Amino acid sequence: MKIRYSFLLILLAATLAAQTPKTPPPTRPDDRLKVDVLLVVAHPDDETGVSPYLAKLLDEHKRVAAVYLTHGEAGHNNMGPERAASLGAVRETELRHAMTKLGVEDVWFLDGLDTPSQDVLQSLGRWHHGAALEEVVRMVRLTRPEVIITWLPAVFIGEDHGDHQASGVLATEAFDMAGDPSIFPAQLAAPVRVNETLLEGLRPWQPKKIYYFSDAQDQDQFKGTGPLLSVNEISPVRKAPYGLIAMQCFGFHLTQYRNYIETFSTLDEEGQLKKAREDWSDPIQLTFGKSNVGGNLTDDVFAGITEAPIGFVQHQAEVAEPPAGISLELAGPWGFYEAFRRAHGLQHLPKAAVPEIAIATPAALLIPVVLHNNTSSAKEVALSLATPEGWSDQTGVGSYSVPAGSDVPVQISVMSPKTTADKVDEITCRAEADGKSVGVIKFHVRRRSGGLPQN
Ligand SMILES: [Zn+2]
């Protein structure tokens, strides 16, 4: 007891000494937080898509940290009755164990709510986009990554979680903004009073590269869009394939994958190795986003990266020409991504050749469109929908009066057949004015038995 009291006195003396004006405050950012790679994702377990690669980077003494936009509280729980915020707390713990095993020590959870839909706009709305962006920019300035790895912001048939897409949107925005001293200046202002809590004393930070990964069902479409990373390579440090290391870390996500994990954990080492190879042999396909240090799409992630920091790089935005005359355009997430890619110089990112989505049948498919009238007179525009057999109950089609120089947003919906299908259905939306076609949108839909709602 006496020793403890003495120790407290020493601590108090040291604290008082640290607060005397003679001791200058630290001027360099805290080096313990500096990383080579910052992973920005949505849910605890999202790291699994790239964790074999993270394990390899850690072997190479790269520093890795991760930011999760939500706690995954909308997931299911196969371990107990805990749901909602309590499930979020459980999943945070699962994730921290998984990342510790992987070798990632610094993990942050932000304030986004797990939003189960395929609509990125729902997630951004529920996360209060600006507030979430400020948090992600803070994490970039705090951790000073050379490279950001995140979800591909795009709509594809696949898991297609709106939260995944939204984390990719925010990471991209933060990549372009964190180095800009005019963005979130309170983060950069230095506090002058003791215990001042509103000014943060950070520095602008310009990351060098950003890469994406995707949970789209068809991974072939990403071939050649970035480096391809093996999961079968053997870790010289852990003497096991990176894919197996990743699966062993994944083994902490029991609330989500209990049956699989429990079966996997009953296998001996050789059995686990065989199972890992059977279930995960495909390499990880990264998609190149942007580089501020040159290089090509398929170069190694760290090609061209040195320790020297780079200054703020003003990103190049492209301004869209307004469509001439009367026109029809896909809106909602698809319309947003057109604008987003132009704004961030990401027109090269892959997108589905024909806009696509998967829906759980039976469900109403929603096709958000906008009618543009860039003429000097009001126009009547007729919207129609052609569907394969079995689709029914169309709404939103018909005639619209579009004032001169105006846009009219329209939500079209059509009820799917009750059956699932392996092939995609093609749905065609047409707009006509003055007896002539003014726009055609084709849309591909896969009918599946489950999965996230469209929005
Ligand atoms: Zn997820």
Side-chain angles (χ1 to χ4, degrees), residues 40-49 67-70 72 91 113-121 123-124 127 149-156 158-172 212-216 257 337 340 452:
V40 180
V41 288
H43 312 117
D45 75 6
D46 285 359
E47 73 287 350
T48 308
V67 172
Y68 288 77
L69 267 299
T70 83
R91 293 192 68 186
L113 294 173
D114 190 346
T115 305
S117 91
Q118 298 187 64
D119 188 341
V120 62
L121 304 178
S123 299
L124 290 172
W127 295 357
I149 299 179
T150 187
W151 285 110
L152 180 68
V155 186
F156 287 107
E159 187 184 351
D160 200 28
H161 204 302
D163 288 350
H164 295 177
Q165 300 174 48
S167 63
V169 166
L170 291 169
T172 305
Y212 301 99
F213 63 104
S214 170
D215 54 11
Y257 309 99
Y337 281 131
F340 175 77
L452 293 159

Side-chain angles (χ1 to χ4, degrees), residues 35-37 54 56-64 302:
V35 297
D36 296 299
V37 169
L54 301 183
K56 183 168 188 286
L57 292 176
L58 291 159
D59 275 0
E60 294 166 359
H61 306 291
K62 295 279 191 293
R63 292 152 296 178
V64 178
F302 279 88

Side-chain angles (χ1 to χ4, degrees), residues 105-148:
E105 292 173 357
D106 291 345
V107 171
W108 287 274
F109 283 84
L110 305 186
D111 292 335
L113 294 173
D114 190 346
T115 305
S117 91
Q118 298 187 64
D119 188 341
V120 62
L121 304 178
Q122 296 280 354
S123 299
L124 290 172
R126 258 189 115 208
W127 295 357
H128 305 287
H129 188 161
L133 177 60
E134 184 172 3
E135 287 192 296
V136 178
V137 168
R138 174 181 295 116
M139 296 318 304
V140 171
R141 288 172 170 170
L142 196 63
T143 60
R144 292 165 281 143
E146 307 297 324
V147 176
I148 291 178

